[in-house]
Amino acid sequence: MSTPQRFVSGAIDLGEVRARAEARQAPASGVAATVEVTMDNLEEEVLRRSTQVPVIVVVGTSRSPESEQLRRDFSDLAAKSARQFIFAYVDADTHPDVAQVFGVQVLPTTLAIAAGRPLANFEGGQPADAIAQWVGSVVQAVSGQLEGLAETEDEEEVGDPRFDAATEALNSGDFTAAIAAYDAILESEPRNAEARQARDTALLLSRLNSLDPAVDAIAAADADPEDLDKALAAADASVAAGDPEAAFDRLIGLLTGPDRDAAKARLIELFGMFEPSDPRVLSARGRLASALY
């Protein structure tokens, strides 16, 4: 079966699902400009990486607007820096053990790490132009003293062959087989972000494929706001139509009612289809936290 026609020209491009994930995780230099820090990758992505280029670490929380703004600003700078520095974000709520490693007392706190050691730091937020100047000073301070990323630039990324079966299934419209293939990868590698994003996308496409093309899912949900199934279908339709903010808003509106758990689960699943640094996701995550806690 094919995807309903009204979703084909939306935000989701089937042929780009895997390419987007691979581009995010393995850019031309082989090193991501922005990373999420956990205890599992702290040594590799912060300490060892800082022997090559400075690593700017922000320890923050989605409950803090200053944290979210710093995250966006540093992500943007890192993406444009040609790997002169790497930006690493620590969610202190999810990974308090990592925050403790850095000895952070105030959220957000920003640290510059070079050669495995703190070089500079500041607490709280700062304007974007001040951040850019601060990063420039950090990069200049260690210029010529670190290894650089030249050794990684010639590495050739090889695609993961385990995705081939899922890709073939997606191309043939067999979403069940594609989801099963992604689940198999996640069973052995629960932290595989590419597989999780692709699986969430396949789940969405499967649900969209089952909708009645004669029914406007969004209008139906607006007309019957108490119906959970219609609300979930409308959220899917909004994402597919390129309006994820409408989807997030609709689901967040259900978090204070009896359908809270189902709305939260679908919301988190839809978050997984976008970049963690996407401002729309960051904003919705903040509102999710506020609604729940």
XYZ file of all heavy atoms in Angstrom, residues 136-241:
759
model
N 35.373 32.409 20.425
C 36.533 32.819 19.650
C 37.780 32.944 20.504
O 38.887 32.547 20.101
N 37.599 33.465 21.725
C 38.741 33.601 22.640
C 39.270 32.239 23.075
O 40.485 32.035 23.172
C 38.310 34.407 23.877
O 37.916 35.713 23.521
N 38.347 31.297 23.314
C 38.757 29.944 23.709
C 39.546 29.278 22.587
O 40.618 28.702 22.816
C 37.524 29.094 24.080
C 37.901 27.621 24.194
C 36.899 29.587 25.371
N 39.021 29.355 21.369
C 39.690 28.735 20.228
C 41.071 29.345 20.020
O 42.061 28.641 19.776
C 38.831 28.874 18.955
C 39.606 28.422 17.719
C 37.541 28.059 19.093
N 41.141 30.664 20.132
C 42.419 31.354 19.941
C 43.418 30.985 21.041
O 44.624 30.850 20.785
C 42.202 32.859 19.919
C 43.469 33.666 19.626
C 43.190 35.150 19.510
O 42.089 35.602 19.784
N 44.181 35.899 19.083
N 42.921 30.793 22.261
C 43.808 30.510 23.395
C 44.545 29.186 23.249
O 45.652 29.016 23.766
C 43.003 30.520 24.693
N 43.947 28.231 22.546
C 44.577 26.917 22.410
C 45.082 26.675 20.992
O 45.475 25.558 20.650
C 43.607 25.785 22.818
C 43.208 25.924 24.277
C 42.357 25.792 21.926
N 45.047 27.704 20.176
C 45.483 27.554 18.784
C 46.904 27.001 18.711
O 47.824 27.500 19.348
C 45.420 28.908 18.076
O 45.893 28.813 16.749
N 47.074 25.924 17.944
C 48.383 25.312 17.757
C 48.821 24.402 18.881
O 49.893 23.789 18.809
N 47.997 24.267 19.921
C 48.383 23.456 21.073
C 47.718 22.091 21.105
O 48.111 21.234 21.893
C 48.054 24.204 22.364
C 48.747 25.554 22.501
C 48.344 26.267 23.771
O 48.172 25.648 24.812
N 48.196 27.595 23.688
N 46.687 21.891 20.279
C 45.954 20.626 20.277
C 46.199 19.878 18.971
O 46.702 20.431 17.995
C 44.447 20.883 20.464
C 44.064 21.631 21.748
C 42.566 21.869 21.796
C 44.518 20.869 22.984
N 45.805 18.603 18.936
C 46.090 17.735 17.791
C 45.321 18.124 16.538
O 45.797 17.946 15.422
C 45.754 16.278 18.139
C 46.560 15.706 19.295
C 46.074 14.334 19.699
O 45.160 13.804 19.005
O 46.571 13.781 20.695
N 44.119 18.654 16.716
C 43.257 18.934 15.566
C 42.533 17.677 15.106
O 42.777 16.577 15.608
N 41.651 17.843 14.117
C 40.826 16.729 13.634
C 41.282 16.202 12.289
O 40.562 15.460 11.637
C 39.361 17.179 13.525
C 38.686 17.513 14.852
C 37.325 18.128 14.618
C 38.554 16.264 15.708
N 42.476 16.561 11.840
C 42.940 16.153 10.511
C 42.926 14.651 10.339
O 42.645 14.125 9.268
C 44.356 16.689 10.265
N 43.214 13.887 11.404
C 43.296 12.438 11.286
C 41.958 11.814 10.979
O 41.877 10.717 10.439
C 43.852 11.840 12.584
C 45.296 12.226 12.859
C 45.802 11.575 14.130
O 45.015 10.816 14.737
O 46.953 11.810 14.502
N 40.870 12.508 11.336
C 39.553 11.931 11.117
C 38.951 12.348 9.790
O 37.949 11.790 9.366
C 38.578 12.359 12.233
O 38.390 13.771 12.164
C 39.125 11.958 13.583
N 39.555 13.344 9.135
C 38.910 13.893 7.951
C 38.953 12.953 6.757
O 38.156 13.067 5.833
C 39.564 15.224 7.596
C 39.272 16.308 8.608
C 39.959 17.602 8.274
O 40.761 17.614 7.329
O 39.695 18.600 8.965
N 39.908 12.018 6.712
C 40.014 11.129 5.578
C 39.307 9.807 5.786
O 39.339 8.930 4.930
C 41.498 10.851 5.276
C 42.222 12.113 4.836
O 41.561 12.960 4.210
O 43.421 12.250 5.137
N 38.670 9.639 6.984
C 37.967 8.398 7.228
C 36.719 8.338 6.366
O 35.994 9.303 6.206
C 37.571 8.311 8.705
C 38.770 8.195 9.621
C 38.338 8.175 11.080
O 37.105 8.270 11.313
O 39.195 8.052 11.949
N 36.443 7.193 5.832
C 35.260 7.018 4.982
C 34.196 6.264 5.760
O 34.438 5.163 6.259
C 35.623 6.230 3.726
C 34.448 6.024 2.786
C 34.833 5.287 1.523
O 36.030 5.047 1.327
O 33.927 4.936 0.763
N 33.054 6.886 5.906
C 31.973 6.242 6.630
C 31.334 5.159 5.762
O 30.985 5.387 4.610
C 30.907 7.281 7.014
C 31.338 8.205 8.135
C 31.477 7.474 9.447
O 30.687 6.529 9.685
O 32.373 7.833 10.228
N 31.176 3.990 6.354
C 30.558 2.873 5.650
C 29.161 2.683 6.210
O 28.972 2.620 7.424
C 31.392 1.587 5.845
C 30.706 0.427 5.150
C 32.799 1.801 5.323
N 28.169 2.617 5.332
C 26.802 2.447 5.775
C 26.606 1.147 6.523
O 27.273 0.143 6.270
N 25.685 1.155 7.470
C 25.379 -0.028 8.269
C 24.505 -0.963 7.434
O 23.360 -0.618 7.110
C 24.652 0.405 9.541
C 24.487 -0.729 10.535
O 24.454 -1.895 10.101
O 24.395 -0.445 11.734
N 24.994 -2.162 7.090
C 24.216 -3.066 6.226
C 22.927 -3.552 6.868
O 22.021 -4.015 6.167
C 25.188 -4.231 5.979
C 26.144 -4.188 7.127
C 26.304 -2.723 7.443
N 22.808 -3.442 8.186
C 21.584 -3.898 8.850
C 20.379 -3.053 8.469
O 19.233 -3.482 8.649
C 21.777 -3.872 10.373
C 22.843 -4.836 10.897
C 23.051 -4.660 12.377
N 23.469 -3.297 12.696
C 23.556 -2.829 13.943
N 23.231 -3.599 14.955
N 23.945 -1.585 14.151
N 20.629 -1.858 7.953
C 19.524 -0.992 7.553
C 18.977 -1.347 6.166
O 17.917 -0.863 5.775
C 19.968 0.472 7.562
C 20.077 1.060 8.930
C 21.207 0.856 9.692
C 19.046 1.807 9.460
C 21.324 1.396 10.959
C 19.141 2.361 10.728
C 20.287 2.150 11.483
N 19.706 -2.172 5.432
C 19.308 -2.462 4.057
C 17.936 -3.116 3.984
O 17.105 -2.772 3.138
C 20.352 -3.357 3.382
C 21.671 -2.623 3.162
O 21.677 -1.383 3.266
O 22.692 -3.292 2.903
N 17.692 -4.092 4.886
C 16.400 -4.789 4.872
C 15.261 -3.831 5.192
O 14.186 -3.879 4.575
C 16.419 -5.941 5.871
N 15.499 -2.937 6.148
C 14.470 -1.969 6.515
C 14.203 -1.000 5.366
O 13.053 -0.664 5.072
C 14.900 -1.210 7.771
N 15.276 -0.551 4.718
C 15.123 0.371 3.597
C 14.343 -0.280 2.457
O 13.456 0.339 1.850
C 16.501 0.825 3.088
O 17.207 1.469 4.144
C 16.360 1.793 1.922
N 14.677 -1.525 2.174
C 13.961 -2.250 1.114
C 12.484 -2.393 1.465
O 11.605 -2.234 0.600
C 14.605 -3.625 0.925
C 13.979 -4.428 -0.208
C 14.690 -5.765 -0.428
O 15.788 -5.963 0.147
O 14.142 -6.595 -1.176
N 12.193 -2.696 2.737
C 10.804 -2.844 3.163
C 10.057 -1.515 3.056
O 8.901 -1.468 2.608
C 10.757 -3.362 4.595
N 10.717 -0.428 3.454
C 10.081 0.886 3.331
C 9.773 1.218 1.884
O 8.702 1.728 1.551
C 10.990 1.969 3.925
C 10.944 2.204 5.436
C 11.956 3.267 5.820
C 9.555 2.608 5.887
N 10.736 0.935 1.012
C 10.541 1.244 -0.406
C 9.378 0.472 -1.014
O 8.758 0.927 -1.977
C 11.828 0.938 -1.181
C 12.941 1.927 -0.860
O 12.674 3.030 -0.397
N 14.182 1.532 -1.094
N 9.100 -0.704 -0.448
C 7.993 -1.516 -0.968
C 6.694 -1.276 -0.201
O 5.676 -1.898 -0.483
C 8.349 -3.006 -0.907
O 8.515 -3.422 0.442
N 6.739 -0.368 0.791
C 5.541 -0.064 1.552
C 5.230 -1.042 2.659
O 4.140 -1.001 3.243
N 6.175 -1.940 2.995
C 5.958 -2.919 4.054
C 6.478 -2.329 5.369
O 7.594 -2.610 5.806
C 6.688 -4.228 3.725
C 6.315 -5.348 4.681
O 5.729 -5.058 5.737
O 6.631 -6.528 4.369
N 5.656 -1.512 6.010
C 6.088 -0.821 7.222
C 6.300 -1.786 8.384
O 7.179 -1.571 9.220
C 5.059 0.246 7.599
C 4.833 1.259 6.518
C 3.627 1.332 5.852
C 5.844 2.135 6.154
C 3.419 2.266 4.847
C 5.652 3.077 5.154
C 4.438 3.135 4.498
N 5.509 -2.852 8.434
C 5.653 -3.835 9.517
C 7.036 -4.463 9.491
O 7.702 -4.592 10.531
C 4.579 -4.927 9.408
O 3.278 -4.325 9.500
C 4.726 -5.951 10.527
N 7.498 -4.841 8.307
C 8.825 -5.451 8.178
C 9.917 -4.433 8.497
O 10.924 -4.777 9.126
C 9.011 -6.002 6.771
N 9.725 -3.192 8.074
C 10.725 -2.155 8.344
C 10.848 -1.910 9.847
O 11.958 -1.833 10.393
C 10.349 -0.870 7.625
N 9.710 -1.819 10.514
C 9.720 -1.596 11.961
C 10.398 -2.760 12.675
O 11.186 -2.560 13.613
C 8.281 -1.396 12.474
C 7.708 -0.070 11.926
C 8.237 -1.399 14.006
C 6.214 0.073 12.106
N 10.110 -3.982 12.217
C 10.733 -5.164 12.826
C 12.250 -5.138 12.646
O 13.008 -5.512 13.555
C 10.152 -6.435 12.214
N 12.710 -4.679 11.497
C 14.152 -4.606 11.241
C 14.814 -3.577 12.162
O 15.892 -3.819 12.712
C 14.405 -4.250 9.780
N 14.163 -2.432 12.328
C 14.709 -1.415 13.230
C 14.680 -1.904 14.672
O 15.613 -1.646 15.454
C 13.931 -0.109 13.102
C 14.061 0.555 11.757
C 12.942 1.024 11.071
C 15.308 0.722 11.166
C 13.065 1.636 9.825
C 15.436 1.336 9.926
C 14.302 1.791 9.261
O 14.429 2.386 8.043
N 13.607 -2.607 15.055
C 13.514 -3.141 16.413
C 14.650 -4.120 16.690
O 15.183 -4.172 17.805
C 12.171 -3.841 16.624
C 11.032 -2.857 16.902
O 11.329 -1.724 17.338
O 9.870 -3.223 16.695
N 15.012 -4.906 15.687
C 16.097 -5.870 15.855
C 17.419 -5.154 16.134
O 18.233 -5.601 16.954
C 16.212 -6.752 14.620
N 17.629 -4.032 15.454
C 18.847 -3.253 15.688
C 18.829 -2.674 17.101
O 19.822 -2.734 17.836
C 18.973 -2.118 14.657
C 19.125 -2.694 13.251
C 20.170 -1.224 14.982
C 19.074 -1.649 12.151
N 17.676 -2.136 17.503
C 17.572 -1.507 18.815
C 17.652 -2.520 19.950
O 18.073 -2.182 21.061
C 16.261 -0.718 18.912
C 16.210 0.539 18.050
C 14.784 1.090 17.980
C 17.159 1.598 18.596
N 17.274 -3.746 19.675
C 17.372 -4.777 20.708
C 18.822 -5.020 21.101
O 19.143 -5.244 22.266
C 16.741 -6.084 20.213
C 16.690 -7.170 21.275
C 15.951 -8.415 20.803
O 15.354 -8.388 19.705
O 15.976 -9.424 21.541
N 19.696 -4.978 20.105
C 21.122 -5.182 20.386
C 21.840 -3.876 20.699
O 22.874 -3.872 21.361
C 21.805 -5.867 19.200
O 21.692 -5.089 18.022
N 21.294 -2.751 20.198
C 21.896 -1.437 20.431
C 20.808 -0.440 20.815
O 20.356 0.353 19.982
C 22.610 -0.932 19.180
C 23.846 -1.711 18.783
C 24.517 -1.096 17.565
O 24.573 0.155 17.477
O 24.949 -1.850 16.693
N 20.371 -0.447 22.067
C 19.277 0.444 22.486
C 19.570 1.922 22.282
O 18.650 2.729 22.175
C 19.122 0.116 23.980
C 19.701 -1.247 24.138
C 20.820 -1.336 23.152
N 20.852 2.303 22.202
C 21.221 3.711 22.057
C 21.464 4.129 20.604
O 21.962 5.224 20.353
C 22.476 4.013 22.890
C 22.280 3.828 24.382
C 23.578 4.113 25.133
N 23.442 3.908 26.559
C 22.992 4.823 27.422
N 22.676 6.022 26.973
N 22.885 4.557 28.697
N 21.135 3.274 19.651
C 21.362 3.598 18.251
C 20.345 4.654 17.810
O 19.188 4.353 17.511
C 21.237 2.343 17.392
C 21.701 2.565 15.965
O 21.347 3.553 15.333
N 22.494 1.639 15.444
N 20.795 5.904 17.784
C 19.884 7.027 17.498
C 19.327 6.963 16.084
O 18.173 7.317 15.843
C 20.604 8.350 17.727
N 20.145 6.506 15.124
C 19.682 6.426 13.736
C 18.533 5.434 13.609
O 17.515 5.703 12.965
C 20.833 6.018 12.826
C 20.423 5.889 11.364
C 21.556 5.354 10.504
O 22.688 5.218 11.004
O 21.285 5.065 9.325
N 18.694 4.266 14.241
C 17.654 3.249 14.167
C 16.379 3.713 14.855
O 15.265 3.464 14.372
C 18.147 1.947 14.795
N 16.539 4.414 15.983
C 15.351 4.873 16.711
C 14.604 5.934 15.899
O 13.373 5.910 15.822
C 15.768 5.432 18.077
C 14.568 5.782 18.964
C 14.999 5.926 20.402
N 15.568 4.695 20.921
C 14.857 3.654 21.318
N 13.532 3.687 21.238
N 15.444 2.581 21.787
N 15.332 6.864 15.287
C 14.672 7.881 14.480
C 13.954 7.246 13.288
O 12.819 7.597 12.966
C 15.676 8.919 13.991
C 15.001 10.042 13.210
C 15.984 10.900 12.452
O 16.868 10.398 11.779
N 15.824 12.209 12.561
N 14.638 6.308 12.629
C 14.035 5.657 11.461
C 12.817 4.825 11.869
O 11.805 4.793 11.155
C 15.076 4.767 10.783
N 12.907 4.161 13.027
C 11.772 3.367 13.504
C 10.574 4.278 13.803
O 9.429 3.957 13.432
C 12.153 2.592 14.764
C 11.000 1.800 15.392
C 11.445 1.134 16.681
N 10.374 0.379 17.281
C 9.465 0.908 18.100
N 9.498 2.205 18.371
N 8.516 0.145 18.633
N 10.809 5.402 14.480
C 9.712 6.316 14.785
C 9.065 6.843 13.508
O 7.846 7.009 13.437
C 10.229 7.485 15.626
C 10.617 7.061 17.042
O 10.199 5.968 17.456
O 11.348 7.812 17.710
N 9.895 7.096 12.498
C 9.357 7.557 11.219
C 8.524 6.473 10.554
O 7.446 6.741 10.009
C 10.499 7.989 10.287
O 11.236 9.037 10.904
C 9.954 8.483 8.946
N 9.010 5.228 10.597
C 8.267 4.117 10.003
C 6.939 3.904 10.724
O 5.915 3.597 10.092
C 9.113 2.845 10.047
N 6.940 4.061 12.050
C 5.696 3.937 12.809
C 4.691 5.000 12.370
O 3.500 4.704 12.184
C 5.980 4.077 14.306
C 6.612 2.871 15.001
C 7.084 3.269 16.397
C 5.619 1.721 15.088
N 5.174 6.226 12.209
C 4.292 7.300 11.758
C 3.727 6.997 10.375
O 2.516 7.130 10.133
C 5.050 8.620 11.743
C 4.301 9.813 11.123
C 3.075 10.163 11.942
C 5.218 11.023 10.999
N 4.592 6.604 9.466
C 4.135 6.309 8.111
C 3.118 5.163 8.092
O 2.159 5.179 7.319
C 5.334 5.963 7.235
C 6.300 7.126 6.965
C 7.560 6.616 6.283
C 5.632 8.192 6.123
N 3.343 4.187 8.959
C 2.399 3.072 9.039
C 1.026 3.549 9.491
O -0.007 3.149 8.938
C 2.942 2.009 10.001
O 2.028 0.938 10.120
N 1.018 4.418 10.485
C -0.264 4.937 10.974
C -0.944 5.806 9.921
O -2.163 5.722 9.707
C -0.052 5.742 12.261
C 0.410 4.916 13.445
C 0.306 5.705 14.743
N 1.110 6.917 14.747
C 2.344 7.002 15.229
N 2.931 5.913 15.712
N 2.997 8.150 15.217
N -0.164 6.653 9.255
C -0.734 7.499 8.207
C -1.328 6.656 7.090
O -2.365 7.004 6.514
C 0.350 8.419 7.642
C 0.883 9.517 8.565
C 2.062 10.225 7.908
C -0.202 10.513 8.928
N -0.675 5.555 6.801
C -1.129 4.689 5.714
C -2.479 4.046 6.009
O -3.213 3.671 5.100
C -0.085 3.601 5.455
C -0.300 2.896 4.135
O -0.255 3.518 3.078
N -0.550 1.599 4.192
N -2.788 3.933 7.321
C -4.045 3.284 7.698
C -5.216 4.270 7.795
O -6.357 3.848 7.994
C -3.879 2.576 9.049
O -3.674 3.508 10.092
N -4.942 5.569 7.666
C -6.010 6.554 7.758
C -6.877 6.557 6.503
O -6.400 6.269 5.406
C -5.424 7.953 7.962
C -4.684 8.214 9.277
C -4.169 9.649 9.300
C -5.571 7.942 10.475
N -8.125 6.899 6.686
C -9.057 7.033 5.561
C -8.717 8.309 4.799
O -8.829 9.410 5.355
C -10.488 7.089 6.098
C -11.532 7.148 4.987
O -11.155 7.358 3.813
O -12.727 6.983 5.298
N -8.279 8.215 3.546
C -7.888 9.415 2.795
C -9.040 10.386 2.563
O -8.807 11.551 2.225
C -7.363 8.844 1.472
C -7.991 7.502 1.352
C -8.127 6.975 2.744
N -10.262 9.917 2.774
C -11.415 10.798 2.568
C -11.714 11.651 3.793
O -12.563 12.550 3.737
C -12.649 9.965 2.209
N -11.029 11.357 4.910
C -11.298 12.071 6.159
C -10.152 13.027 6.461
O -8.979 12.649 6.406
C -11.464 11.075 7.333
C -11.613 11.834 8.654
C -12.662 10.170 7.093
N -10.483 14.257 6.784
C -9.490 15.243 7.210
C -9.244 15.011 8.702
O -10.066 15.384 9.543
C -10.004 16.657 6.958
C -8.961 17.727 7.261
O -8.159 17.521 8.198
O -8.958 18.765 6.584
N -8.121 14.395 9.033
C -7.851 14.003 10.420
C -7.808 15.193 11.362
O -8.264 15.114 12.507
C -6.539 13.231 10.487
N -7.267 16.305 10.896
C -7.145 17.480 11.754
C -8.518 18.090 12.032
O -8.851 18.422 13.177
C -6.206 18.510 11.106
C -4.789 17.923 11.008
C -6.201 19.819 11.889
C -3.800 18.799 10.266
N -9.320 18.212 11.002
C -10.663 18.766 11.187
C -11.508 17.857 12.077
O -12.278 18.334 12.914
C -11.337 18.958 9.832
N -11.343 16.544 11.908
C -12.111 15.599 12.713
C -11.763 15.728 14.185
O -12.640 15.667 15.065
C -11.849 14.177 12.236
N -10.483 15.918 14.490
C -10.058 16.064 15.882
C -10.540 17.393 16.462
O -10.938 17.463 17.627
C -8.543 15.961 15.975
N -10.503 18.447 15.654
C -10.985 19.752 16.122
C -12.471 19.695 16.467
O -12.928 20.353 17.399
C -10.745 20.813 15.054
C -9.264 21.145 14.882
O -8.479 20.823 15.791
O -8.911 21.716 13.830
N -13.209 18.883 15.705
C -14.652 18.782 15.928
C -14.992 17.894 17.120
O -16.096 17.981 17.665
C -15.335 18.239 14.669
N -14.060 17.058 17.537
C -14.308 16.124 18.639
C -13.071 16.069 19.536
O -12.344 15.070 19.576
C -14.624 14.732 18.074
C -15.141 13.768 19.133
O -15.287 14.197 20.300
O -15.386 12.592 18.804
N -12.784 17.148 20.278
C -11.534 17.252 21.032
C -11.372 16.251 22.162
O -10.263 16.075 22.680
C -11.572 18.690 21.572
C -13.017 19.052 21.577
C -13.615 18.349 20.410
N -12.430 15.554 22.556
C -12.344 14.582 23.637
C -11.944 13.194 23.152
O -11.685 12.315 23.966
C -13.700 14.485 24.363
C -14.207 15.795 24.952
C -13.227 16.367 25.965
O -12.667 15.583 26.755
O -13.024 17.593 25.939
N -11.887 12.993 21.849
C -11.576 11.677 21.290
C -10.060 11.523 21.149
O -9.425 12.194 20.333
C -12.259 11.527 19.923
C -12.157 10.096 19.384
O -11.020 9.601 19.245
O -13.203 9.502 19.106
N -9.466 10.626 21.935
C -8.016 10.443 21.934
C -7.512 9.962 20.584
O -6.498 10.468 20.071
C -7.605 9.446 23.018
C -6.131 9.040 23.020
C -5.241 10.244 23.295
C -5.888 7.929 24.033
N -8.172 8.980 19.997
C -7.707 8.434 18.721
C -7.663 9.506 17.640
O -6.728 9.560 16.828
C -8.605 7.270 18.281
C -8.435 6.044 19.160
O -7.357 5.912 19.787
O -9.365 5.219 19.229
N -8.676 10.361 17.622
C -8.698 11.430 16.628
C -7.593 12.444 16.892
O -6.984 12.972 15.952
C -10.068 12.119 16.624
C -11.194 11.238 16.078
C -12.523 11.967 16.104
C -13.636 11.068 15.567
N -14.961 11.739 15.626
N -7.318 12.708 18.154
C -6.252 13.643 18.497
C -4.893 13.105 18.066
O -4.065 13.835 17.520
C -6.258 13.920 19.999
N -4.663 11.815 18.288
C -3.393 11.203 17.897
C -3.234 11.213 16.379
O -2.147 11.486 15.860
C -3.311 9.776 18.434
C -3.292 9.619 19.958
C -3.265 8.134 20.338
C -2.109 10.352 20.569
N -4.330 10.903 15.666
C -4.282 10.908 14.207
C -4.022 12.321 13.684
O -3.264 12.515 12.721
C -5.593 10.359 13.635
N -4.615 13.318 14.323
C -4.408 14.709 13.902
C -2.969 15.142 14.140
O -2.390 15.872 13.325
C -5.373 15.626 14.650
N -2.375 14.705 15.246
C -0.979 15.034 15.525
C -0.072 14.439 14.448
O 0.839 15.103 13.939
C -0.574 14.519 16.899
N -0.325 13.191 14.083
C 0.446 12.560 13.013
C 0.303 13.347 11.715
O 1.285 13.588 10.998
C -0.039 11.119 12.788
C 0.395 10.175 13.893
O 1.285 10.533 14.683
O -0.162 9.052 13.955
N -0.929 13.717 11.410
C -1.189 14.430 10.162
C -0.487 15.785 10.148
O 0.032 16.225 9.115
C -2.693 14.617 9.963
N -0.440 16.460 11.287
C 0.226 17.758 11.358
C 1.724 17.627 11.107
O 2.321 18.435 10.397
C -0.020 18.407 12.733
O -1.374 18.750 12.902
N 2.339 16.601 11.693
C 3.769 16.371 11.460
C 4.019 16.105 9.986
O 4.939 16.658 9.377
C 4.287 15.200 12.317
C 5.706 14.816 11.909
C 4.264 15.572 13.788
N 3.208 15.246 9.406
C 3.384 14.894 7.997
C 3.164 16.097 7.083
O 3.767 16.182 6.008
C 2.418 13.779 7.604
N 2.327 17.034 7.520
C 2.037 18.219 6.714
C 3.058 19.326 6.936
O 2.943 20.408 6.369
C 0.636 18.735 7.030
